[in-house]
Amino acid sequence: MATTLKRIDAREFDKLAEKTGLQPAAREMARLVLVDGKTLTEAAELCGTYKQRVSLAVGSIRRVHQGAATRSGWVRMEVEVPERLSKHLSELLEALKESKSRDAKALALAQMEHAMTKARKTLEGGE
């Protein structure tokens, strides 16, 4: 089941936007919604346009995003993380995705799973 892209970090937004052919004004409308968290109406007011135009721009980014997620074999999750972790997490996942070494990927995944399990137990008061 596909989920609708609601928020995205600026770096990933720029990568997706490059694949759309959107003009700068349309990119800015989509950025206001997907990166800055504005509503369609707020973005339309800020850009002096109609909500429908903003919706079309956002839809272009969402279509590219959905196509990339479908082709990659990765699962897209919508989560909120502290801002200070966002960059690190994005870079880690990108490195994992781009790595050509199966051994390095397996080791990195095992390390990530261990660290996340330990952190969850800490939050649950179990460690």
Side-chain angles (χ1 to χ4, degrees):
M1 173 168 49
T3 59
T4 300
L5 176 66
K6 298 200 185 299
R7 292 293 299 267
I8 193 169
D9 70 37
R11 199 172 77 188
E12 189 173 358
F13 177 89
D14 290 338
K15 286 180 184 179
L16 293 172
E18 288 176 17
K19 298 175 185 177
T20 64
L22 287 174
Q23 297 299 313
R27 281 187 188 201
E28 182 57 27
M29 288 184 263
R31 177 183 294 279
L32 286 168
V33 174
L34 295 172
V35 176
D36 299 339
K38 304 289 185 194
T39 66
L40 295 175
T41 302
E42 290 170 333
E45 288 173 3
L46 288 168
C47 294
T49 190
Y50 298 100
K51 181 175 145 180
Q52 292 81 359
R53 286 198 66 217
V54 177
S55 180
L56 289 171
V58 170
S60 293
I61 301 292
R62 285 180 175 155
R63 280 189 296 281
V64 170
H65 170 264
Q66 187 59 45
T70 301
R71 289 188 302 276
S72 71
W74 284 56
V75 175
R76 172 78 40 194
M77 295 176 59
E78 181 181 336
V79 296
E80 289 187 25
V81 296
E83 188 173 337
R84 68 182 187 276
L85 296 181
S86 175
K87 180 180 181 216
H88 297 294
L89 187 56
S90 292
E91 289 172 349
L92 173 65
L93 292 174
E94 186 65 28
L96 179 64
K97 200 167 159 182
E98 298 298 321
S99 175
K100 304 293 186 231
S101 169
R102 284 185 175 180
D103 292 340
K105 283 182 177 184
L107 179 58
L109 286 169
Q111 291 170 334
M112 290 167 57
E113 185 176 2
H114 176 75
M116 288 186 287
T117 298
K118 188 172 179 180
R120 180 184 46 80
K121 286 180 180 177
T122 298
L123 292 171
E124 293 172 348
E127 262 185 45

